[in-house]
Amino acid sequence: MEDKGKNIEQAQQSCYLGWMSLQSQRVLDLKQALAQRRSHEGTADAATDEKKLRELTQKIIGDFKDYARKRADLSHRCSSNYYAPSWNTPLENALIWMGGCRPSSFFRLVYALCGSQTEIRVTQFLRNVDGYDTSGSGGASLSDLTAEQLAKINVLHVKIIDEEEKMTKKVSSLQEDAADIPISTVAYAEEHVGEPNLAVDQALDKQEEAMATLLAEADNLRVYTLSKIIEVLAPMQAADFLLAGIKLHLSMHSWGALRDRRRRECIIEAADDAGGKEGK
């Protein structure tokens, strides 16, 4: 049974690593498409570039749907791995919600980009810089959100938060079930802690199935939220938004790994210092 569980975990991790590799490629694709569109600003080629941007953003949404489908398939064999993945860093697991990010965080990203890019534009204006250089990592398209776009995003934001709260209540109920019959009563009655028990196995299997269903629902909500935000945004805005989101996801993983290395080095240094003092 342990080997089977390990194989499932390896399959889940392999799926994740493939996803991260694809995301790295999408960063390059988005940068290239955005740079091409901006270089053709005001020309006849701009319309063609925008069509390519739409196709790319839809392809990326398709990537998310495909990844969610693969996770749903793998989670039915072992869903608990996704709630605290071993392939994640502790930092990522500390921020995780239902096996991933909160869908509502996508809106925070939109607002953050809108504000930061507007600030850049104002600074450029005050410095009397001719033109606006959007070739950098941020771009300026999200600072052009209209009142109508913001209103639609706000309405969607409220709706998604409501859905999140419903799902959070469901997972809270599942977590509380661990202290209910038969798990708690068997744990109390057993002479030796942790002995195999059929009733407990059946209860935990049922809980894993429920967790797999919730994971699929959460992934679907994430994909739905992304799709709806993309519908509101113009092609360049959508590409900017996806680029920022993917880079944030990849960066959090790298930053988490960096912080882990620093912590391990601190522990080793502390042990070395203690050994040195004892030697003296």
Side-chain angles (χ1 to χ4, degrees), residues 32-44:
Q32 182 179 359
L34 281 167
Q36 183 172 324
R37 168 62 182 84
R38 285 164 178 156
S39 68
H40 292 157
E41 183 67 38
T43 69

Side-chain angles (χ1 to χ4, degrees), residues 270-280:
D272 289 344
D273 290 344
K277 290 178 181 178
E278 289 177 3
K280 292 179 181 179

Side-chain angles (χ1 to χ4, degrees), residues 136-150:
S137 59
S141 63
L142 281 168
S143 65
D144 296 325
L145 284 173
T146 65
E148 182 181 0
Q149 284 178 308
L150 283 171

Side-chain angles (χ1 to χ4, degrees), residues 61-77:
I61 294 298
D63 293 340
F64 277 94
K65 290 179 180 178
D66 186 52
Y67 183 54
R69 179 188 58 77
K70 291 177 180 177
R71 276 167 48 108
D73 179 58
L74 290 168
S75 68
H76 280 295
R77 285 175 277 178

